[in-house]
Amino acid sequence: MRNIVGIGLALALTGAPIQAHAENGQVAAGILGGLAAGALIGSAMRPAPPPPVYYYPAPAYAPPPPAYVVPPPSCYYTPGAPVWDSFRGMWVRPRVQVCE
């Protein structure tokens, strides 16, 4: 139906006898009028827009899950009893691992 109306309108406009006179800057008015008529006819002839797209709902924010907490180690290092180191020629306290 739209195509028939559009074709009929185009034939009616092109078949009408019109005298063209361009005096005192009327060319710009003719160009603007032609652009406006083209926009109206073009918008009438355009196809129907596609159906709306389904959008997912906005995300719901919840508190984060509890973080995994590493249990404290049951072993630790501490300086041990002094020992003579003959290579360095001094007393050293080696690190000793203590586990509970």
Side-chain angles (χ1 to χ4, degrees):
M1 182 68 183
R2 282 186 175 181
N3 290 338
I4 294 171
V5 172
I7 291 171
L9 182 62
L11 289 176
L13 290 176
T14 57
I18 298 174
Q19 295 288 332
H21 299 297
E23 299 173 359
N24 298 330
Q26 293 175 350
V27 174
I31 291 174
L32 290 176
L35 287 174
L40 288 174
I41 294 170
S43 65
M45 297 291 293
R46 72 174 177 85
V53 179
Y54 176 75
Y55 291 103
Y56 291 105
Y61 294 100
Y68 176 72
V69 178
V70 179
S74 59
C75 296
Y76 61 94
Y77 289 95
T78 184
V83 178
W84 177 255
D85 186 0
S86 61
F87 180 74
R88 289 189 266 180
M90 59 185 259
W91 292 90
V92 292
R93 295 184 70 137
R95 288 179 35 166
V96 179
Q97 184 179 11
V98 178
C99 294
E100 297 177 323

